[in-house]
Amino acid sequence: MKTYNVAVVGTGAVGQTLLKVLEERNFPVGRLKVLATSRSAGKSVNFKGEEYVIEETTPAAFAGIDIALFAGGEASKLYGRAAVEAGAVVIDNSNNFRMDPDVPLVVPEVNPQDVRWHKGLIANPNCSTIQMVVALKPIYDAVGIKRIVVSTYQAVSGAGQEAIDELRLQSKQVLAGEKVTGSVFPHQIAFNCLPHIDVFLENGYSKEEMKMVNETKKIMGDDQIQVTATTVRVPVFNGHSEAVNVETREKLTAAAAKELLRRAPGVVVVDDLEAKAYPLAIHADGRDEVFVGRIREDFTVPCGLNMWIVADNLRKGAATNAVQIAELLVQEGLL
């Protein structure tokens, strides 16, 4: 089997998950480099039972690399183009290139064909967008979609390891009756919900909300879909949940929607109200599928559906989707 030299850039929550997913999916890694800031350089990480010393990210570090998986943050802005110039295909988990018209924005279950026109850079969508479009693509293909109204319940892991640590610390402080401290979030996250993810824009929406609006249209290849979002950070360690209302162009019953979703790649339907079975973040944790339940018709419009969508945001919402894109590149002979 042909192997590929891979660089993983970033050693935070997403970077660690990238290494785990590469190993679990047995991606044909030849030589591996783990890159990070100078602060992390010299430390080591484990991959397939071997220890790898973390190197500092520099343009020269990408020499001989076939695939560079950027975990997120500012790294791709600083080094993404340099990695491409060195001969690597960059799969980037940040927001730096997602809306660049020359950069494909790819979810393999939705628009795998878009990898074919990459010019060295491929963007991984926002975590909350990924799980939503995986669930909505079968419905879009069957009856079209006019409008999407989504409210998210996003886990703290989406804000990185420091956010996970902050929720853990604040939970202990609250339960102990101590003063709550924190620096990651603008308000206490333990036992609280914050309708504030990323910065607020002039239109009153947050940047996270507008990511869902714009990315959905680009991934689906349809600027006519109307999308409105409210994104909320909740005191859950891992696993994003979403309440999604969809107005379709043609009538689709709840039963027909469930059947479509049961056949859809990457989707698991969990919808048995008598058994109190519906998607939960604790069940999605560590899984790569998108879980969908509470599927029911919206009786306020002629063609509407409501559903509840849950996924592991570190895996399908980030690392797994990136590795799946790399697998697509291998399958299509695009490396």
Side-chain angles (χ1 to χ4, degrees):
M1 179 185 292
K2 184 177 179 180
T3 60
Y4 301 87
N5 296 334
V6 176
V8 172
V9 186
T11 55
V14 173
Q16 293 172 38
T17 309
L18 277 166
L19 291 169
K20 185 185 299 185
V21 172
L22 284 167
E23 182 171 344
E24 289 175 357
R25 296 177 74 91
N26 199 28
F27 188 82
V29 177
R31 183 163 57 94
L32 175 69
K33 275 192 174 186
V34 182
L35 306 175
T37 62
S38 57
R39 185 177 57 191
S40 297
K43 299 177 183 177
S44 62
V45 294
N46 188 280
F47 179 73
K48 290 190 173 181
E50 294 186 29
E51 293 295 315
Y52 288 81
V53 176
I54 300 168
E55 302 176 37
E56 183 176 357
T57 311
T58 65
F62 296 98
I65 294 297
D66 300 306
I67 304 171
L69 300 166
F70 281 75
E74 293 293 301
S76 63
K77 186 183 293 184
L78 296 171
Y79 303 107
R81 299 290 184 187
V84 173
E85 290 172 6
V89 176
V90 169
I91 302 171
D92 179 36
N93 196 58
S94 79
N95 190 47
N96 294 323
F97 303 105
R98 288 175 184 158
M99 298 313 298
D100 186 324
D102 292 327
V103 176
L105 184 65
V106 176
V107 178
E109 296 89 344
V110 180
N111 60 331
Q113 69 283 354
D114 284 355
V115 299
R116 297 171 189 161
W117 54 269
H118 82 80
K119 300 174 183 177
L121 265 169
I122 301 172
N124 214 31
N126 188 41
C127 47
S128 49
T129 305
I130 289 174
Q131 67 188 69
M132 185 175 76
V133 297
V134 168
L136 294 186
K137 182 61 160 64
I139 295 169
Y140 178 87
D141 287 346
V143 293
I145 292 175
K146 290 173 60 177
R147 185 169 186 255
I148 302 165
V149 180
V150 54
S151 297
T152 71
Y153 306 76
Q154 295 180 223
V156 297
S157 58
Q161 185 61 47
E162 290 181 354
I164 296 171
D165 295 340
E166 183 156 297
L167 173 58
R168 185 174 289 114
L169 173 62
Q170 288 186 354
S171 298
K172 292 178 180 177
Q173 290 170 332
V174 171
L175 293 172
E178 299 171 356
K179 180 182 178 181
V180 174
T181 61
S183 59
V184 176
F185 300 107
H187 302 282
Q188 174 183 320
I189 184 61
F191 306 97
N192 199 16
C193 297
L194 307 182
H196 179 184
I197 302 178
D198 213 320
V199 298
F200 289 118
L201 306 174
E202 289 185 5
N203 64 359
Y205 285 78
S206 70
K207 192 173 180 181
E208 182 83 359
E209 290 159 354
M210 292 311 298
K211 286 176 190 176
M212 295 195 75
V213 172
N214 297 321
E215 291 177 20
T216 298
K217 294 180 180 185
K218 182 173 179 178
I219 295 164
M220 293 291 203
D222 187 348
D223 285 335
Q224 300 305 307
I225 300 176
Q226 297 300 304
V227 185
T228 186
T230 301
T231 58
V232 182
R233 189 73 71 190
V234 297
V236 170
F237 284 110
N238 195 50
H240 288 354
S241 302
E242 299 173 347
V244 179
N245 175 273
V246 184
E247 188 174 355
T248 56
R249 295 193 176 278
E250 298 174 27
K251 176 70 175 177
L252 185 70
T253 66
K258 289 178 188 178
E259 187 56 34
L260 279 173
L261 288 165
R262 287 191 182 101
R263 299 197 305 264
V267 175
V268 175
V269 174
V270 182
D271 200 329
D272 186 343
L273 300 184
E274 288 188 9
K276 298 182 178 62
Y278 30 74
L280 297 173
I282 57 173
H283 297 154
D285 188 31
R287 299 282 295 271
D288 291 326
E289 305 93 335
V290 172
F291 297 84
V292 188
R294 295 296 317 280
I295 303 163
R296 59 206 188 276
E297 291 169 37
D298 178 355
F299 54 76
T300 68
V301 291
C303 301
L305 292 168
N306 287 299
M307 63 188 71
W308 179 249
I309 302 171
V310 180
D312 184 323
N313 52 288
L314 291 180
R315 292 184 66 97
K316 184 54 188 169
T320 301
N321 199 76
V323 174
Q324 286 177 310
I325 292 171
E327 291 169 346
L328 263 179
L329 292 171
V330 171
Q331 294 164 16
E332 297 279 341
L334 295 172
L335 290 169

